[in-house]
Amino acid sequence: MSSTITLWRHARLATMAGDAATTPWGWIERGAFVTEGERLAWVGDGSALPADLARRVTREVDLGGACVTPALVDCHTHLVYAGDRAREFELRLQGASYEEIARAGGGIRSTVAATRAAGDDELLALATARARALMREGVAAVEVKSGYGLSLEHEARCLRAARRVAAATGLTVRTTCLAAHALPPEFDGRADDYVDAVVSWLPQLTAEGLVDAVDAFCERIAFTPAQTRRVFEAARTLGLPVKLHAEQLSDQGGAQLAASFGALSCDHLEHLSAEGVAAMAAAGTVAVLLPGAYYFLRDTTLPPVQALRDAGVPIALATDHNPGSSPTLSPLLMINMACTLFRLTPEEAVRGLTVNGARALGLSASHGTLETGKRADFAVWDLAHPRELAYRFGVNPLRRLVLGAEEASTS
Ligand code: DI6
Ligand code: FE
């Protein structure tokens, strides 16, 4: 069966391909591209379309000079959970800290209770609605972590719901098992036993095809570096890539540990040390910055952005959507916040949600830039230039989202 070959004409293209220093934004002022089936078959200046390809075109779309970027990649979310933590937000505003609430049995544990009590269809409906909200701001690919089930049965339910979000929405979904997120109540005071349990669940979850990567929360209120290492060793035995919630509230040396396992990414990183930066640079590990959590927890320690730049560590950006520390569904707001709070440049911020977000998920071959051979996942914006994605906030200029060369439904 021959697939549709579409010429998309008259676009101002931010391909995000190539080197930012030599081709900022991968910009093509009079851009055009051709899609064949779900893939990009050619991208370039509209006047340079190869004649043999032009002859095969079966459909043309005039984009009217709109700005086009790769669709966004949200590389760190916790989309599957039930309940909310609005009451906890009030308590924090009255002076309670995130860590105090967690130690008192609130925080993640309260979401675990609500998630365990929810049915499969309810979990799917909640996660799907959140995924659609991300799509309305241009997201094509999303990482979804478990971590609110914290038992074999409930982690499996959450990961199955994540897989079903892909089928329900057309999004590309990468699942991450974050069973080592918090200690469930039935393991109170027995963190090492819980880690044994997590290690014993991983083969089964993996055999069911539910796990693309393994993550842990390495922190004073969660798991130690030694416990995290045991989870990572289990992942390595199964051939699974790892990533880490590292140095969010304190410096645990988690980045060095994750880098020694060749981690795809280390995420949060407000308390990252110089040694951690060096280890990530040597391992090619992506730094995922999460300004939503920084903002919502009213953190004041900034991630070491200049040190990451100097070391050549790729910087990604994500929503970290979760009910406790980042209840946002706005990747566009993250672009603005990364600039205002972390002093990323607009181009760095957009790279963070495209090319480097894809890299943090191991999706560089298919996502993150507009280049021949990649998936035809792109966003069309009512903007003259993509730097306006960083400039406006609380504004959604998305005109259309195209996934696999087909208009996406986001309702
Ligand atoms: N760090 C975070 O910011 C989220 N998880 C994590 O490990 C918060 C999760 C929550 O509070 O529910
Ligand atoms: Fe997170």
Side-chain angles (χ1 to χ4, degrees), residues 92-142:
R92 285 200 295 106
L93 290 174
Q94 288 161 18
S97 76
Y98 181 81
E99 290 188 64
E100 282 162 8
I101 291 168
R103 288 186 199 286
I108 293 173
R109 275 195 183 181
S110 69
T111 302
V112 171
T115 303
R116 287 178 173 180
D120 290 350
D121 290 342
E122 184 185 356
L123 281 180
L124 176 66
L126 289 166
T128 300
R130 294 171 191 137
R132 292 212 169 99
L134 296 175
M135 293 170 79
R136 286 193 287 274
E137 292 200 359
V139 169
V142 65

Side-chain angles (χ1 to χ4, degrees), residues 68-92:
V68 176
T69 68
L72 304 182
V73 178
D74 191 351
C75 69
H76 180 143
T77 84
H78 309 244
L79 282 192
V80 182
Y81 64 87
D84 71 77
R85 307 246 288 277
R87 176 64 190 143
E88 179 181 317
F89 178 54
E90 288 180 326
L91 292 173
R92 285 200 295 106

